[in-house]
């Protein structure tokens, strides 16, 4: 107790003294914490989306039953094409890969629809650990009484230029459920002997991805804004590494079953990144370049909502949430269109863009399409520092043009080479990734601190809504085209 009182006196009296020979260690600690958080969010983005991407990459295998038996560890990497509909000019599965897309996205849609209304009731971490908003728990206050839960210790540390504690985050029900569902999805699909059971495994991957995305994107509100670009880059890396690992391992001869089981380390890495790599959240002061950029922007919401100053997003009324949501629409609508167009291409047209005059089988062509798309996404989601786009509606128009162009090609088959399709798909991924990272970056800049957590949770429904609509429309399109003679 006496030590705490003496420490407080030294902090308050330090303004008039010029003997503080230790400014360097706090700066190093803060720099180290920033790098830990940026790398932590990159790994969280990577691990969170990994199972989702792998399920989409395995969609053709799931539906065509090209899964090895339980005791078979290798498959032919180049199986001959086996059309399922001999009367069609397309090599179609009996069910569109959009069915896997819907199983992979609809549970995420439900989670994201409910998240802005009630997910805040389930905390990021347990009561005995760190709390939201950089508040300091009793064990971190060192037993000093008289400091309220508003974090007076943190204020004193800031006045003395001392770093806040960088303890690992405590137990989180949300993150545990996300990790368990991701591991369960790999196991269930790997040991499945029917399409229905496999789709149940895909649903688990969707729950994991949806719960993780809304949790981690909301959590960025309590960290420096730089972590948003690292999270986005990590999600892009998940697309590239997920698609590439599935393609590479199956191409090397490993069965889809053993390929999926080899990925069980990813959910463990997600849990380790959250619990052991991220530091406790601190009150944020953007400053510098970001503050200047923010001041040059118009506020996301009007003066009516700007006058409202709730203590946290959990205390926002329904009227306040609706006002903030209306301000988000100019970013939500373009992102919905971007994802509708690109996933209509991915899960509605990829299977129909089949070239018979190549050495690649139909399954291999589908895997290459997925890998190239994810490569484009990774590059553009990692490009925020060198390329920032405010008017994301331009990206929506370009993506819709891609959809129209490839739909005409599916109908008329006028493109002579699969390599032209490869280039278009890479470009499609670049547009999609750029739309995602710039949307959330713009929202982070244009929302006030008290609204940012809710805004992030609300806006992340955009991609999921677009993907869900594309899956619903891709199913009848698949049936229609596959029955053409």
């Amino acid at each position: 107790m006496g030590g705490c009182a003496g420490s407080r006196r030294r902090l308050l009296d330090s303004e008039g003294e010029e003997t503080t020979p230790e400014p360097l260690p706090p700066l190093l600690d803060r720099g180290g914490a920033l790098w830990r958080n940026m790398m932590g969010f990159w790994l969280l983005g990577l691990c969170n989306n990994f199972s989702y991407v792998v399920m989409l990459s395995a969609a053709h295998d799931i539906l065509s039953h090209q899964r090895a038996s339980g005791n078979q560890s290798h498959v032919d990497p180049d199986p001959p094409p086996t059309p399922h509909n001999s009367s069609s000019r397309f090599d179609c599965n009996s069910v569109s890969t959009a069915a896997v897309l819907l199983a992979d996205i609809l549970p995420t849609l439900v989670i994201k629809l409910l998240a802005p209304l009630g997910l805040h009731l389930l905390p990021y971490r347990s009561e005995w650990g760190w709390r939201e908003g950089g508040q300091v728990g009793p064990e971190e206050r060192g037993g000093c009484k008289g400091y309220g839960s508003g974090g007076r210790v943190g204020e004193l540390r800031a006045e003395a230029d001392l770093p806040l504690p960088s303890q690992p985050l405590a137990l989180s029900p949300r993150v545990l459920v996300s990790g368990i569902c991701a591991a369960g999805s790999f196991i269930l699909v790997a040991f499945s002997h029917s399409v229905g059971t496999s789709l149940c495994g895909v649903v688990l991957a969707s729950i994991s991805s949806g719960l993780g995305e809304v949790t981690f994107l909301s959590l960025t509100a309590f960290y420096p804004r730089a972590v948003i670009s690292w999270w986005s880059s990590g999600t892009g890396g998940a697309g590239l590494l997920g698609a590439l690992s599935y393609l590479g391992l199956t191409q090397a001869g490993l069965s889809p079953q053993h390929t999926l089981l080899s990925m069980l380390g990813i959910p463990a890495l997600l849990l380790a990144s959250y619990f052991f790599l991220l530091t406790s959240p601190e009150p944020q002061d953007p400053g510098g370049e970001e503050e200047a950029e923010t001041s040059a922007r118009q506020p996301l919401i009007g003066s009516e909502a700007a006058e409202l100053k709730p203590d946290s997003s959990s205390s926002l009324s329904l009227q306040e949430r609706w006002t903030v949501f209306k301000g988000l629409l100019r970013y939500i609508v373009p992102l919905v269109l971007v994802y509708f167009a690109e996933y209509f291409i991915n899960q509605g047209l990829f299977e129909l863009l089949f070239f018979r005059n190549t050495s690649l089988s139909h399954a291999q062509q589908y895997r290459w399409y997925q890998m190239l798309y994810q490569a484009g996404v990774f590059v553009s989601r990692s490009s925020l520092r060198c390329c920032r786009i405010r008017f994301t509606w331009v990206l929506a128009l370009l993506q819709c043009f891609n959809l129209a162009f490839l739909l005409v090609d599916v109908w008329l088959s006028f493109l002579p080479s699969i390599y032209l399709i490869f280039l278009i798909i890479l470009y499609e991924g670049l547009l999609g990734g750029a739309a995602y990272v710039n949307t959330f970056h713009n929202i982070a800049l244009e929302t006030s601190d008290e609204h940012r957590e809710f805004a992030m949770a609300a806006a992340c429904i955009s991609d999921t809504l677009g993907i869900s609509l594309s899956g619903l429309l891709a199913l009848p399109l698949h049936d229609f085209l596959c029955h053409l003679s």
Side-chain angles (χ1 to χ4, degrees), residues 222-435:
F222 304 111
Y223 289 87
R225 291 196 188 113
V227 302
I228 296 175
S229 63
W230 285 79
W231 158 268
S232 299
S233 175
T235 57
L240 179 61
L241 294 178
L244 190 59
S245 61
Y246 188 82
L247 170 67
L249 291 173
T250 53
Q251 192 79 11
L254 200 63
S255 71
Q257 179 192 49
H258 287 77
T259 297
L260 293 173
L261 291 176
S262 70
M263 297 172 178
L264 282 173
I266 298 298
L269 180 59
L270 181 142
L271 297 178
S273 300
Y274 181 81
F275 292 119
F276 301 112
L277 190 55
L278 285 188
T279 65
S280 59
E282 304 177 15
Q284 298 305 322
D285 178 17
E289 177 186 347
E290 287 190 343
E291 184 178 31
E293 186 173 356
T294 304
S295 63
R297 296 290 186 91
Q298 294 181 349
L300 188 64
I301 56 179
S303 58
E304 174 188 355
E307 296 172 358
L308 304 170
K309 296 181 179 179
D311 294 331
S312 68
S313 66
S314 62
S315 63
L316 292 175
S317 68
L318 287 177
Q319 179 62 36
E320 291 170 307
R321 291 168 186 266
W322 174 243
T323 303
V324 174
F325 182 78
K326 287 191 295 184
L328 293 171
L329 286 178
R330 71 170 182 262
Y331 290 120
I332 288 178
V333 173
L335 194 59
V336 168
L337 290 175
V338 167
Y339 272 84
F340 169 80
E342 70 184 74
Y343 274 86
F344 195 97
I345 294 170
N346 292 1
Q347 305 305 129
L349 303 184
F350 273 7
E351 187 185 5
L352 305 177
L353 292 168
F354 174 46
F355 287 79
R356 301 178 186 273
N357 57 345
T358 71
S359 60
L360 297 174
S361 69
H362 194 176
Q364 289 173 330
Q365 289 181 37
Y366 182 86
R367 295 169 195 160
W368 273 103
Y369 291 158
Q370 290 287 352
M371 193 278 293
L372 289 169
Y373 162 75
Q374 298 294 352
V377 169
F378 172 68
V379 170
S380 55
R381 287 194 183 189
S382 306
S383 65
L384 189 61
R385 284 198 168 274
C386 57
C387 180
R388 296 182 181 180
I389 302 171
R390 184 178 181 186
F391 301 108
T392 53
W393 57 267
V394 176
L395 302 174
L397 291 178
L398 293 173
Q399 197 70 289
C400 289
F401 176 78
N402 276 348
L403 169 59
F405 182 81
L406 289 176
L407 188 58
V408 172
D409 179 68
V410 166
W411 186 268
L412 301 178
S413 299
F414 61 86
L415 289 177
S417 172
I418 192 174
Y419 296 105
L420 294 176
I421 298 291
F422 284 170
L423 289 176
I424 294 172
I425 290 173
L426 183 64
Y427 170 62
E428 173 210 347
L430 290 172
L431 292 178

Side-chain angles (χ1 to χ4, degrees), residues 15-259:
E15 293 183 3
E17 302 176 5
E18 63 179 288
T19 60
T20 42
E22 301 180 309
L24 193 56
L27 294 177
L28 290 176
D29 289 344
R30 285 179 174 176
L34 178 61
W35 276 106
R36 281 180 61 182
N37 290 329
M38 290 191 299
M39 183 54 63
F41 273 97
W42 192 90
L43 289 173
L44 289 174
L46 172 74
C47 299
N48 185 71
N49 283 26
F50 197 90
S51 60
Y52 166 82
V53 170
V54 168
M55 295 306 162
L56 292 183
S57 298
H60 191 276
D61 293 334
I62 289 174
L63 295 176
S64 59
H65 300 284
Q66 289 179 356
R67 190 174 294 102
S69 61
N71 57 2
Q72 184 179 348
S73 61
H74 291 78
V75 293
D76 181 6
D78 188 18
T82 54
H84 294 264
N85 186 351
S86 58
S87 64
S88 172
R89 61 189 177 94
F90 301 104
D91 180 24
C92 297
N93 280 309
S94 57
V95 180
S96 169
T97 52
V100 176
L101 174 66
L102 289 176
D104 212 8
I105 203 63
L106 287 180
T108 296
L109 178 63
V110 173
I111 290 172
K112 290 184 178 181
L113 283 172
L114 297 178
L117 301 177
L119 194 61
H120 61 275
L121 299 175
L122 185 64
Y124 292 111
R125 56 202 71 84
S126 64
E127 286 297 321
W128 53 266
W130 286 99
R131 299 181 180 88
E132 285 87 350
Q135 295 178 347
V136 182
E139 63 275 21
E140 281 72 42
R141 290 198 288 268
C144 298
K145 296 182 179 179
Y147 301 133
S149 62
R152 176 61 180 157
V153 169
E155 294 173 12
L156 292 176
R157 289 179 180 272
E159 290 172 8
D161 200 29
L162 294 175
L164 288 170
S166 57
Q167 302 288 338
L169 297 179
L171 185 66
S172 168
R174 296 194 204 178
V175 180
L176 283 175
V177 170
S178 179
I180 291 171
C181 287
S185 69
F186 289 129
I187 294 172
L188 192 56
V189 175
F191 290 105
S192 168
H193 295 288
S194 69
V195 172
T197 306
S198 295
L199 292 180
C200 289
V202 175
V203 167
L204 286 180
S206 178
I207 294 173
S208 169
S209 176
L211 183 60
E213 183 176 11
V214 75
T215 296
F216 299 133
L217 265 177
S218 299
L219 194 61
T220 63
F222 304 111
Y223 289 87
R225 291 196 188 113
V227 302
I228 296 175
S229 63
W230 285 79
W231 158 268
S232 299
S233 175
T235 57
L240 179 61
L241 294 178
L244 190 59
S245 61
Y246 188 82
L247 170 67
L249 291 173
T250 53
Q251 192 79 11
L254 200 63
S255 71
Q257 179 192 49
H258 287 77
T259 297

Side-chain angles (χ1 to χ4, degrees), residues 439-455:
T439 293
F440 286 105
H441 176 73
N442 292 335
I443 291 172
L445 288 178
E446 299 184 8
T447 48
S448 59
D449 291 341
E450 63 266 29
H451 296 139
R452 188 169 299 122
E453 182 187 7
F454 168 77

